[in-house]
Amino acid sequence: GAVVSQHPSRVICKSGTSVKIECRSLDFQATTMFWYRQFPKKSLMLMATSNEGSKATYEQGVEKDKFLINHASLTLSTLTVTSAHPEDSSFYICSATVTTNEKLFFGSGTQLSVL
Amino acid sequence: GEDVEQSLFLSVREGDSSVINCTYTDSSSTYLYWYKQEPGAGLQLLTYIFSNMDMKQDQRLTVLLNKKDKHLSLRIADTQTGDSAIYFCAETPNQGGKLIFGQGTELSVKP
């Protein structure tokens, strides 16, 4: 099946620094990528939808200046958490789809811990 | 609005069947999904069902859909310890790939 690679799997950073998370589709071209956030013992919350070559669409309540998303190519989307603070600590997961079909392929997630 | 509800915990003995239930609110959802998440890992698509189906079976997995009651269930036959994980149901109310997830059901399988 299709593979989505997410990197890094775990990152610890100091408060105030920025962290970039990469999401790559390895064997298919992903026209749309999604970024989710998951708090411990909680469901996944969609943060934004990213289409290649256009600006990301953010869900209500998600700060677009805080969570910068770039989808520069059909195989790569990045999420940058700018000026991270401890409350940004969470598990972030990306997913990708070829078209608006039924299958989404998920990355393995990134555990962000902000000290 | 869009809302998906699941019970939070389920504990079964190895070899028994597990049934995880889910209710959703948006009747326009075309597809409904079950995902599995193992500790510290991403999501794995287990199975999905098209909204015009009542049942779908895939090896040990059986999905039942009651569209009238907006109720979805996942039955795992002969549950194994390796099935211990969090299971999420999800719907796509507006298609386009956007998923609305339930809170997840933590399945614990005891030997």
Side-chain angles (χ1 to χ4, degrees), chain A residues 1-32:
Chain A
V3 176
V4 174
S5 172
Q6 189 173 338
H7 179 80
S9 58
R10 184 178 293 273
V11 59
I12 301 171
C13 69
K14 290 184 179 179
S15 188
T17 60
S18 293
V19 175
K20 181 185 280 189
I21 303 169
E22 291 189 350
C23 181
R24 291 180 186 273
S25 56
L26 296 186
D27 52 0
F28 67 102
Q29 292 186 325
T31 54
T32 306

Side-chain angles (χ1 to χ4, degrees), chain A residues 53-111:
Chain A
S54 62
K55 288 185 178 179
T57 302
Y58 289 82
E59 295 299 302
Q60 194 173 4
V62 178
E63 299 175 60
K64 60 180 70 174
D65 295 329
K66 173 78 171 174
F67 299 100
L68 299 178
I69 292 172
N70 185 294
H71 192 164
S73 77
L74 285 171
T75 60
L76 175 65
S77 176
T78 61
L79 166 68
T80 302
V81 183
T82 61
S83 186
H85 287 94
E87 58 265 29
D88 299 324
S89 298
S90 191
F91 193 58
Y92 294 86
I93 302 177
C94 70
S95 68
T97 185
V98 176
T99 61
T100 55
N101 61 17
E102 71 276 10
K103 278 196 175 179
L104 277 179
F105 300 96
F106 283 84
S108 54
T110 298
Q111 181 65 54

Side-chain angles (χ1 to χ4, degrees), chain A residues 38 41 43 59 102 104 106 108, chain B residues 33 35 37 42 48 101-102:
Chain A
Q38 185 182 31
K41 303 291 186 183
S43 183
E59 295 299 302
E102 71 276 10
L104 277 179
F106 283 84
S108 54
Chain B
Y33 307 82
Y35 285 88
Q37 185 182 30
Y48 62 94
F101 286 88

